[in-house]
Amino acid sequence: MKFKILPFFIVSCLLFTIVSFVAEKSDNSDFDAAKEVIIMREIAHRVLRYTGDTSSRILPVNRLAENEFEIPFESSFSFKPDSLVRIIDKVISSNHLPDNYIVNVIECNTSKVIFGYAILGIEKKNIVPCLGRQQPNMRYCINIKFEEANWLSKNFYLLGLSFLSISLVFFGWQRMKNTKSSVSTEPQNNENDASNTAILVGKYEFFPDELLLIYEEEKISLTIKEAKVLSIFAYNLNQIIDRNRLQKEVWEDEGVIVGRSLDMFISKLRKKLSQDPNVKITNIHGKGYKLEV
C-alpha cells in the first residue's frame, strides 16, 4: 500500500515545489526589472559626470523590450567612444548584468546611429569600431540591448525539477512493480505452508494437503504424521534434519514426545519410498536423518 501512495506523494511534493519556485521567480522578476532600470539610470549619471554636466536631469529610462533599454539625455554633449565603452562596461559588469550586449548611440533629432559596438563576452570577439574618434556635440540617446536568454537557460531550474519529478515517479512505480513481482514469484517452499502443488521427491509426487504419494500411477496414502515428517524432509532435500527438530515439530502439540515413535514413522516412510532406488532416508548417527535424492 505504501508503494502505491509513494508516487502520488512525490508528485504532490514536487508540484508544490515547482509552484513555489514559479511564484518566487515571478516576484524576483519584478524586483530584477526595477533594479535594471536603476542600473540604466546609473549609466546615465556616469555619462553626465564624464561630460562635466552636474546639473541636467536624468530623464526616465524607456524599456523597449524585456532585454532592451533606451537612455535619453536632456542636453547635448560630446564624447570619446573609448571612454563611453569603459563607463558602460564598468556599470554593467559590476551589477552582474548579462555579458553579451549591444550599444547604439543615437542622435535624437534624426534617429541616426552615431556610434555603436557589441560586447560578446569574450574580449577577442568584441566589436568596437571608431575608437579614438571624438564624436560631435549633439543630443543623444543610448540604446542598450542585452542578449535574450534562450528558453532552456531561463527555465533551467523548472526543467530540472520536472525531470526530477518524472524520475522519482518512475522510480516509485518501478519499485512497486518489482515488489509485486517478487511477491507473486516467491517460491512457496516454506515447510509450514500448505499447498496443493505436488512436491517432487525423486520419481514420487508428494501432495501434503491430500496426504498422498503418487509413484507413476500408484497412489500411496500417508498418515498425518507421516505427511508432516515427509514435508520436513521434502523441503530440506539432502540436508541433515536434527532428530530433536523432527520430534518437536511433529509431536510437540500432543504434549508427549516418544523417541521410538519417530523411528517407527521413519521406517514406514522408507517402505513407502522404496520403489525409487534413488530415494532413501539415511540415519546420521548422533545427529538425525537425511532424505537423499
Side-chain angles (χ1 to χ4, degrees):
M1 183 68 181
K2 61 182 179 181
F3 290 116
K4 292 182 180 179
I5 296 174
L6 179 62
F8 300 103
F9 175 74
I10 293 172
V11 170
S12 300
C13 291
L14 287 171
L15 285 176
F16 175 77
T17 304
I18 291 172
V19 170
S20 300
F21 171 80
V22 171
E24 182 182 358
K25 197 70 177 174
S26 177
D27 292 341
N28 288 342
S29 296
D30 294 339
F31 179 83
D32 290 341
K35 179 182 174 183
E36 288 164 356
V37 171
I38 293 173
I39 294 171
M40 295 302 112
R41 292 178 64 83
E42 174 66 13
I43 290 174
H45 171 68
R46 297 285 183 93
V47 170
L48 288 175
R49 284 184 56 187
Y50 157 72
T51 63
D53 187 342
T54 58
S55 58
S56 296
R57 292 182 306 125
I58 296 176
L59 300 179
V61 172
N62 299 317
R63 182 187 284 270
L64 305 180
E66 183 180 354
N67 62 322
E68 185 176 2
F69 302 87
E70 183 183 71
I71 306 172
F73 290 90
E74 185 178 49
S75 56
S76 301
F77 61 87
S78 177
F79 68 94
K80 277 189 177 182
D82 314 58
S83 301
L84 188 68
V85 171
R86 284 196 297 271
I87 290 169
I88 295 175
D89 184 65
K90 185 175 181 180
V91 175
I92 287 177
S93 59
S94 63
N95 287 281
H96 309 292
L97 292 181
D99 294 333
N100 293 8
Y101 58 92
I102 293 173
V103 175
N104 282 308
V105 181
I106 301 168
E107 202 277 302
C108 291
N109 294 329
T110 62
S111 298
K112 291 182 178 180
V113 175
I114 303 301
F115 169 65
Y117 65 94
I119 301 298
L120 304 176
I122 302 174
E123 187 173 354
K124 291 181 179 179
K125 293 186 177 181
N126 294 342
I127 304 172
V128 189
C130 305
L131 292 180
R133 300 169 186 255
Q134 182 75 31
Q135 300 299 320
N137 190 61
M138 293 181 178
R139 183 168 169 262
Y140 296 110
C141 293
I142 297 178
N143 178 282
I144 302 177
K145 185 172 185 178
F146 295 95
E147 182 180 33
E148 186 173 5
N150 58 38
W151 185 91
L152 183 61
S153 62
K154 288 173 69 177
N155 297 276
F156 178 78
Y157 294 106
L158 191 59
L159 189 66
L161 284 172
S162 300
F163 178 76
L164 179 62
S165 173
I166 294 170
S167 300
L168 288 176
V169 170
F170 177 77
F171 169 78
W173 173 80
Q174 192 68 28
R175 181 78 179 271
M176 182 176 63
K177 181 180 176 182
N178 291 342
T179 302
K180 286 183 177 180
S181 176
S182 64
V183 170
S184 62
T185 59
E186 183 179 356
Q188 302 299 315
N189 59 351
N190 189 318
E191 59 199 22
N192 296 316
D193 291 340
S195 174
N196 290 323
T197 305
I199 302 170
L200 295 179
V201 180
K203 294 181 181 179
Y204 289 91
E205 291 181 281
F206 173 40
F207 294 87
D209 277 358
E210 299 177 24
L211 307 178
L212 184 65
L213 269 177
I214 297 179
Y215 181 79
E216 295 180 350
E217 295 183 0
E218 181 183 355
K219 294 183 178 180
I220 305 167
S221 297
L222 300 171
T223 66
I224 293 175
K225 286 186 171 54
E226 286 174 344
K228 284 185 178 180
V229 173
L230 185 55
S231 292
I232 296 172
F233 281 131
Y235 288 119
N236 298 275
L237 289 177
N238 302 307
Q239 297 180 38
I240 298 173
I241 307 300
D242 186 75
R243 184 182 182 88
N244 292 331
R245 174 186 172 186
L246 289 168
Q247 291 176 331
K248 182 177 180 181
E249 293 189 19
V250 177
W251 279 274
E252 186 177 43
D253 58 344
E254 296 181 359
V256 178
I257 300 175
V258 181
R260 296 303 300 172
S261 297
L262 176 59
D263 296 331
M264 180 182 66
F265 280 100
I266 294 295
S267 178
K268 288 182 179 180
L269 281 175
R270 282 194 179 109
K271 290 179 182 180
K272 292 182 178 182
L273 296 169
S274 61
Q275 296 185 68
D276 185 350
N278 295 317
V279 177
K280 60 181 179 178
I281 300 176
T282 305
N283 183 15
I284 308 299
H285 184 69
K287 294 184 178 179
Y289 296 93
K290 176 166 64 172
L291 177 61
E292 295 180 326
V293 178

